[in-house]
Each structure stands twice: as C-alpha cells, then as structure tokens.
Amino acid sequence: MHIPKKYGVSKRTNCPFCDRPATTHSAQEVPVCRLHKERELEEIKCVCGSFLALEIGAYGPYFSCVNCGNLSFKKGLEMRNPQVKSQDTVEKKSNAAEMTVRSDDPRFFD
Ligand SMILES: [Zn+2]
Ligand SMILES: [Zn+2]
C-alpha cells in the first residue's frame, strides 16, 4: 500500500472532448463535462503504435500501454490530439511598403 491518504487532491481533469473542466463521469468513468456525458472516448494510439488501454485508478483514469507502461490521462489525450503544429507556411511577403512620410512633399506648401 503506497497510496497516500490524501483525499481531495485529485487534479482538475478536463473533459477530453472540449477541454472544459470535467464535472461528471461518462459510462467509461472518464471525467467529462455535462455535455459529453454520453460520449465515448475513442481508442488512442500510443506513440509506439499500439493502442492505449483506459484504466481507472484510485485517482482517476489513466492509460496503459503494453510497451510504454502507464501514462497519465492527460498524456494519453495528448496523443489522441497530437498538437497539430500549424506549420505556418506563411510566405511573408516582404510587404515592406515603406511609407516614408516626407515632409518635403511639394504639395505640402500649396
Ligand atoms: Zn466536454
Ligand atoms: Zn506505447
């Protein structure tokens, strides 16, 4: 038994579907918001390629991978939603339209 006797230290878990604070649990025991109570968490693929198993521990849900071991719930969710780094292929058009305001404009003294 290495479970610290501390209740109420459960970290705030956000709803995995909308990232708002979870206020209830789905049928899968996953913390969800009220709106997503009926939603089921889809299978999440681990970085190693195998699927994560959703486990419910004393402190809430977490994931386990046959290859990588246990992962926090949050970490598993991050794998579900690999932060799509918007590869900003922003072709910065050197829009250096130099707006040099010149006071020596001939019309200035018209
Ligand atoms: Zn939600
Ligand atoms: Zn893995």
Side-chain angles (χ1 to χ4, degrees):
M1 288 286 275
H2 59 277
I3 301 171
K5 277 187 190 173
K6 267 198 177 178
Y7 279 93
V9 285
S10 57
K11 280 185 235 161
R12 275 270 167 107
T13 312
N14 285 350
C15 170
F17 304 111
C18 65
D19 211 31
R20 275 183 289 206
T23 52
T24 183
H25 291 84
S26 74
Q28 293 176 295
E29 300 284 324
V30 173
V32 290
C33 74
R34 218 156 31 88
L35 293 172
H36 295 119
K37 196 169 163 47
E38 310 294 321
R39 278 281 281 274
E40 283 200 9
L41 201 61
E42 74 273 19
E43 291 211 272
I44 297 171
K45 214 170 192 179
C46 181
V47 283
C48 69
S50 62
F51 283 104
L52 298 175
L54 176 66
E55 313 272 0
I56 306 298
Y59 292 103
Y62 62 96
F63 292 102
S64 76
C65 170
V66 286
N67 297 315
C68 312
N70 291 345
L71 298 159
S72 74
F73 188 59
K74 200 178 160 199
K75 201 150 192 178
L77 292 177
E78 280 169 9
M79 291 189 195
R80 181 184 68 139
N81 274 328
Q83 288 169 358
V84 188
K85 282 189 178 175
S86 49
Q87 292 176 351
D88 281 87
T89 38
V90 180
E91 290 167 31
K92 278 194 178 175
K93 292 172 189 171
S94 47
N95 224 356
E98 284 164 39
M99 307 262 277
T100 26
V101 182
R102 308 192 321 177
S103 55
D104 59 342
D105 194 304
R107 289 172 298 173
F108 191 77
F109 294 105
D110 248 351

